Amino acid sequence: MPSPLFLPDRRRFLTLAGGGAVAIAAGMMASSAPAVADPRFASDPFTLGVASGDPLPHGVVLWTRLALDPIAPDGSGGMPASSYPVTWQVAEDRAFARVVKAGTEHAVPELGHSVHAEVNGLRPDREYWYRFRVGSFVSQAGRTKTAPTPDAALASLSFAFASCQNYPDGYFTAFRHMANEDLDLVIHLGDYIYETGGQGSIGRGHLPVAELFSLADYRVRYGQYKADADLQAAHAAAPWLVTVDDHEVENNWAGSISQVDKEPDQDPAVFLQRRAAAFQAFYENQPLRLASKPNGAEMQLYRRLAFGRLAEINMIDTRQYRDDQVAEQADRLHPDRSMLGAAQEDWLLDGLGRSQATWNVLGNQIFAMQADHEAGEPTRFGLDTWDGYAAARQRIFDGVRDQGVENFVILTGDAHRSAAADLKTDFNDPSSATVGTEFLGTSISSGRDGKPMDDLGLVWLQENPHMKFHNSQRGYVRCELTPASWRSDYKVVPYVSRPGAPLHTAASVHIEAGVAGIAQVEQ
């Protein structure tokens, strides 16, 4: 992670910011707020840190959000209802002696005073540093990296993936360790916040103290989470790819359907208002491009990014277009059920079929492997995961097999446990063809401390022969890709109930290019 930087004098910063700007003001919108040409603040408004994301060969999106008081109850971040010019710089060096791009965006109250600068004109596969300034205050500096050109022959790619950070459950220590990794990318697979009013028992209770429904509520919750220093460090260390799962809105939501036992949003029209508020707050607090800016309750989250000829990453959306969860085990097999919706499913299979990359990767929210939760008979499967949408899963796996897609890898979060499994054309027949590998990563803090093995883990390994590894501690997964091999290191911490936990590798799982399935597990 970059070391702290000197603060330049105001005249030099503004001179550099005034020339050579090439950017898209992704967050710009018509604002009724009065513009403040020369902002003056009594304290630092960069309390939520900086981030970058969605790297392309010639650019990235840079993010920050002004907040004098991140947890102000009205969701304003303690900011006056005014528009503020925020200048940004991108440099080739940590000291910002070689600034290559600079510009100005406007932080407006309609978007929570967030800034999304889509910077273009950068060099492919290149490390850069960036920072922001408003008035006399300069943000911390962040490190980012552009993607290689699509035809680049990469020797390696390193990234980490994570999910599920429940603030009251534990400290985000794993993110501090992630910030110290040398990574090209971080993939976050959802449950960035939790929508409940849980208070926990370690002094990190949720704000607001009740469940979230309004835009102000969601803004306060993001302010609380993003003020966490460990999370800020991980964002500042590498570009991120982000998506939503359920807790960014409400537990186990499906399409326009809320949880059936919840009030007041059992009415789909009311739930969609809540979803619109949740999506707007998510956009305001993440390094997302203009293409992902919500339109009411709709948000474009599935997208595809290439990293040379080495890897193509398909970020999918398993919430917005799915059918409702079924109530009975037998109904999970209905042939018409959809997880992705027809358009996204076609997009995914078409892209996988056309891919020329060595590794074909799915950024996925809920696990795709079959997971019998019951020792012996009868079987029992989760109904919110792909097990509850078995026909939809089969269509994807059949498409991968029929199109000859090689080196198919699914990355997954949500389950608050780690596992690695072969993906089978018929999970009930261990001798059936293997079409790929799934790496399920544990939570950052959700589920509290955890332990290396629990009762469900023992059942999983016993009842599901395609599963080759399990652990139920907290942490993240670091992946190292080459043209010949893939290694996933399951990084875990022994506790999250207090800060400062050490990190160790619970297992390293290997796969080989051209050979479907797990080759080796080192524990």
Side-chain angles (χ1 to χ4, degrees):
M1 179 183 173
S3 58
L5 300 174
F6 69 93
L7 300 183
D9 69 85
R10 183 169 183 269
R11 177 178 299 175
R12 180 170 183 268
F13 189 103
L14 294 177
T15 299
L16 291 169
V22 180
I24 299 171
M28 284 296 289
M29 63 180 294
S31 176
S32 59
V36 179
D38 188 14
R40 298 177 185 273
F41 300 107
S43 60
D44 187 356
F46 293 112
T47 54
L48 303 181
V50 301
S52 67
D54 277 18
L56 299 176
H58 298 287
V60 296
V61 57
L62 307 180
W63 173 92
T64 193
R65 179 181 158 213
L66 307 182
L68 295 166
D69 178 6
I71 56 174
D74 64 355
S76 68
M79 297 292 296
S82 300
S83 170
Y84 298 96
V86 180
T87 53
W88 53 267
Q89 294 177 319
V90 176
E92 293 180 330
D93 65 310
R94 297 185 182 191
F96 285 81
R98 300 189 303 278
V99 173
V100 294
K101 296 293 174 185
T104 301
E105 315 297 336
H106 286 81
V108 299
E110 289 87 348
L111 288 175
H113 291 101
S114 61
V115 173
H116 300 76
E118 294 189 22
V119 182
N120 294 314
L122 301 178
R123 297 183 183 182
D125 197 21
R126 180 64 66 93
E127 192 174 53
Y128 291 97
W129 284 263
Y130 63 94
R131 62 186 176 188
F132 298 88
R133 181 168 189 149
V134 63
S136 61
F137 289 95
V138 178
S139 75
Q140 70 180 99
R143 170 192 172 272
T144 192
K145 190 173 184 181
T146 52
T149 57
D151 61 349
L154 289 189
S156 65
L157 178 71
S158 299
F159 66 82
F161 70 91
S163 67
C164 303
Q165 53 227 42
N166 192 336
Y167 196 87
D169 271 6
Y171 289 88
F172 297 168
T173 310
F175 276 136
R176 177 65 63 174
H177 290 294
M178 185 188 292
N180 293 324
E181 303 263 15
D182 183 15
L183 299 172
D184 299 307
L185 185 71
V186 172
I187 301 174
H188 197 284
L189 296 170
D191 293 347
Y192 190 95
I193 64 164
Y194 277 67
E195 85 291 1
T196 68
Q199 296 300 294
S201 60
I202 61 171
R204 282 166 64 92
H206 268 149
L207 294 174
V209 297
E211 187 163 346
L212 310 179
F213 288 95
S214 69
L215 177 57
D217 289 344
Y218 284 103
R219 282 174 169 173
V220 172
R221 187 64 54 83
Y222 277 100
Q224 181 183 37
Y225 276 57
K226 294 191 76 71
D228 185 275
D230 294 336
L231 177 57
Q232 287 190 18
H235 269 299
W240 283 40
L241 295 180
V242 299
T243 190
V244 303
D245 189 18
D246 54 344
H247 288 290
E248 288 87 355
V249 182
E250 179 193 52
N251 184 46
N252 286 356
W253 67 277
S256 62
I257 307 299
S258 169
Q259 293 187 87
V260 295
D261 60 345
K262 287 283 186 177
E263 292 284 2
D265 59 346
Q266 288 177 320
D267 180 349
V270 176
F271 175 70
L272 288 176
Q273 292 175 352
R274 180 184 186 182
R275 198 175 95 180
F279 279 3
Q280 179 170 337
F282 182 76
Y283 175 77
E284 290 173 353
N285 286 280
Q286 298 291 3
L288 287 162
R289 293 183 177 275
L290 181 60
S292 293
K293 187 173 179 289
N295 180 16
E298 307 296 324
M299 189 175 189
Q300 180 66 47
L301 286 165
Y302 66 85
R303 58 207 190 275
R304 180 176 295 121
L305 289 89
F307 292 83
R309 298 201 302 270
L310 185 58
E312 196 165 85
I313 299 176
N314 301 270
M315 295 292 285
I316 61 172
D317 178 350
T318 60
R319 287 289 164 190
Q320 220 172 150
Y321 313 106
R322 66 157 68 188
D323 292 325
D324 195 10
Q325 294 92 340
V326 295
E328 303 296 334
Q329 289 283 319
D331 293 336
R332 72 185 189 88
L333 302 174
H334 195 285
D336 294 336
R337 288 178 54 69
S338 179
M339 175 68 83
L340 303 179
Q344 184 181 189
E345 189 173 304
D346 289 346
W347 167 87
L348 175 60
L349 289 173
D350 180 69
L352 289 171
R354 294 174 181 269
S355 174
Q356 299 298 309
T358 299
W359 298 101
N360 293 287
V361 185
L362 227 61
N364 167 61
Q365 291 76 63
I366 38 82
F367 60 77
M369 60 186 134
Q370 183 169 289
D372 180 5
H373 287 47
E374 198 72 40
E377 296 295 337
T379 57
R380 179 171 59 87
F381 302 96
L383 299 177
D384 183 60
T385 71
W386 283 88
D387 274 334
Y389 301 76
R393 173 176 63 196
Q394 195 66 50
R395 290 193 297 271
I396 300 300
F397 288 7
D398 287 349
V400 168
R401 178 198 59 198
D402 294 346
Q403 295 185 101
V405 178
E406 292 192 329
N407 307 320
F408 178 59
V409 178
I410 298 181
L411 312 176
T412 305
D414 179 71
H416 308 170
R417 59 187 62 246
S418 297
D422 291 341
L423 299 175
K424 310 293 288 186
T425 52
D426 182 356
F427 284 105
N428 297 318
D429 178 7
S431 66
S432 67
T434 298
V435 296
T437 304
E438 182 167 22
F439 295 115
L440 170 62
T442 187
S443 62
I444 290 292
S445 67
S446 303
R448 298 175 293 279
D449 287 343
K451 53 186 177 180
M453 183 61 70
D454 62 8
D455 291 342
L456 180 59
L458 292 172
V459 171
W460 272 17
L461 291 176
Q462 173 185 318
E463 298 297 320
N464 304 282
H466 47 279
M467 293 189 191
K468 309 300 182 183
F469 164 74
H470 178 276
N471 177 282
S472 58
Q473 293 171 298
R474 311 282 76 86
Y476 60 92
V477 184
R478 185 186 192 278
C479 301
E480 182 80 21
L481 286 62
T482 74
S485 64
W486 177 309
R487 187 185 78 243
S488 286
D489 295 328
Y490 282 85
K491 306 274 192 167
V492 299
V493 293
Y495 54 83
V496 294
S497 53
R498 60 189 189 276
L503 184 78
H504 76 275
T505 301
S508 295
V509 182
H510 300 261
I511 51 181
E512 299 174 0
V515 182
I518 294 169
Q520 182 184 10
V521 179
E522 295 178 73
Q523 292 182 266

